[in-house]
Amino acid sequence: MIGNLKPLEILLIIAVIVLLFGAKKLPEMARSLGKSARILKSEAKAMKKDGEAEDAATAATVADPAQQPTTAPRTIQAAPGDVTSARPVSEPNHTAKS
């Protein structure tokens, strides 16, 4: 459907977008879209890497159950410049002494 658009129709769509959002907002919106795409791509790579590591650890455990894999604890990283949303994945257990 999009492949059937003629050049005049594409120019009309672009003109409507510029009128709706304004020429000053468009670069800002494009930048934020680019940042979101980069974050999504890096998270997808990390999830794929974690999945492969998890599969390898499962295969090693099945092959030799006496050997336990040692992995570093996972943390959630905040976006660059965003320090308010950083938090650890799991909180340490605190036991109350009586």
Side-chain angles (χ1 to χ4, degrees), residues 9 23 31 37 63 68-69 87 95 98:
E9 294 169 339
R31 256 185 248 112
Q68 294 293 329
R87 64 185 188 280
T95 56
S98 299

Side-chain angles (χ1 to χ4, degrees), residues 11 28 34 39-40 46 48 63 74 79 83 89:
L11 287 175
E28 181 181 327
I39 291 171
L40 180 65
K48 184 176 180 182
R74 293 195 53 191
V83 294
V89 173

Side-chain angles (χ1 to χ4, degrees), residues 6-68:
K6 297 175 185 160
L8 183 60
E9 294 169 339
I10 293 173
L11 287 175
L12 182 64
I13 291 171
I14 291 172
V16 169
I17 290 173
V18 170
L19 287 174
L20 286 177
F21 295 108
K24 292 183 180 181
K25 286 279 189 178
L26 289 178
E28 181 181 327
M29 290 171 48
R31 256 185 248 112
S32 66
L33 184 64
K35 279 184 184 180
S36 299
R38 278 194 303 271
I39 291 171
L40 180 65
K41 184 177 178 182
S42 67
E43 290 298 323
K45 278 185 180 179
M47 288 176 64
K48 184 176 180 182
K49 184 179 176 184
D50 287 347
E52 289 173 356
E54 203 171 276
D55 291 344
T58 304
T61 305
V62 170
D64 188 10
Q67 188 181 36
Q68 294 293 329

